[in-house]
Amino acid sequence: YTTATGADMDNPYASPNPTNLFGDLSPKGAPGGARERGLVGHVRVLGILMLVHGVLALMCGLMFVAMAVFFPMLFASIEPPPNARAGEPPPEVIGWIMGGVYGGIGLITSIAGGLQIYTGYQTYLFRKRQLGIVSLILGAGASLSCYCSITAIGLLIYGLIVLLNASVKEAFELGAQGYAPDQIDAMFNPYAGR
């Protein structure tokens, strides 16, 4: 515990002066906070959200694939009713149709989830921005499962707002050059280097 001295005594409610906590992270002599912050602070949050949503979408997709395998076996064990009308498909055909629909939905959702897991990690590292945009758009394909529709659409809107920001684009260019995420964040931090 230290006591306030000098100018601090004049106004004890004044905001503290920024410190040089991140100045050592700025590479090649680039001063911290030399660039406009924009939405760079949201990139890591977006990466984590993409990872979480990708895992949930992948699990949902695998559940649909399991149902695609289960339905044909289930309907194959059902005897046709004795009072079936002529022209009605047998239960086996209905099982294969349901299996195909669930299999297609599961395959699309699983691919979208797997891609979002990969691009979520890359986004966290400030890499592969274009693939992240594609992943968010394809992730909206997980809406077919109805389970992930609200989160997929919300993540698509939030992700496009973040990834299409000019400062974020510049940050991803620095990431492609090999800078660490902490270094990139420090370069866009207005309190670093002061």
Side-chain angles (χ1 to χ4, degrees):
Y1 179 76
T2 60
T3 60
T5 59
D8 296 331
M9 292 298 284
D10 294 336
N11 185 0
Y13 301 105
S15 296
N17 291 330
T19 60
N20 190 9
L21 294 176
F22 301 104
D24 59 330
L25 297 175
S26 298
K28 299 182 182 174
R35 296 168 171 86
E36 184 180 337
R37 181 76 172 159
L39 296 175
V40 174
H42 291 261
V43 172
R44 288 178 166 179
V45 174
L46 177 64
I48 292 169
L49 289 174
M50 288 173 70
L51 276 166
V52 170
H53 186 265
V55 168
L56 293 174
L58 182 63
M59 290 189 322
C60 177
L62 293 176
M63 179 185 68
F64 272 86
V65 169
M67 288 177 10
V69 172
F70 174 73
F71 275 124
M73 293 188 305
L74 175 70
F75 279 88
S77 66
I78 297 175
E79 295 289 329
N83 58 353
R85 289 182 267 159
E88 280 188 5
E92 298 90 21
V93 173
I94 295 172
W96 284 107
I97 291 171
M98 289 183 69
V101 169
Y102 277 92
I105 292 171
L107 186 63
I108 292 169
T109 305
S110 297
I111 291 171
L115 185 61
Q116 278 197 342
I117 291 170
Y118 174 72
T119 56
Y121 178 69
Q122 294 299 320
T123 299
Y124 188 83
L125 299 176
F126 290 91
R127 291 183 172 80
K128 301 189 187 273
R129 185 180 72 90
Q130 292 87 359
L131 186 61
I133 292 170
V134 170
S135 168
L136 289 169
I137 293 169
L138 291 179
S143 297
L144 290 173
S145 69
C146 295
Y147 173 74
C148 303
S149 61
I150 294 174
T151 54
I153 293 168
L155 189 61
L156 171 67
I157 294 168
Y158 174 64
L160 289 179
I161 289 170
V162 171
L163 293 178
L164 295 176
N165 182 267
S167 296
V168 171
K169 184 177 180 181
E170 185 181 356
F172 271 84
E173 289 169 1
L174 292 170
Q177 294 173 13
Y179 292 113
D182 288 334
Q183 293 174 322
I184 295 169
D185 195 40
M187 282 191 249
F188 289 88
N189 188 342
Y191 292 104
R194 291 187 184 175

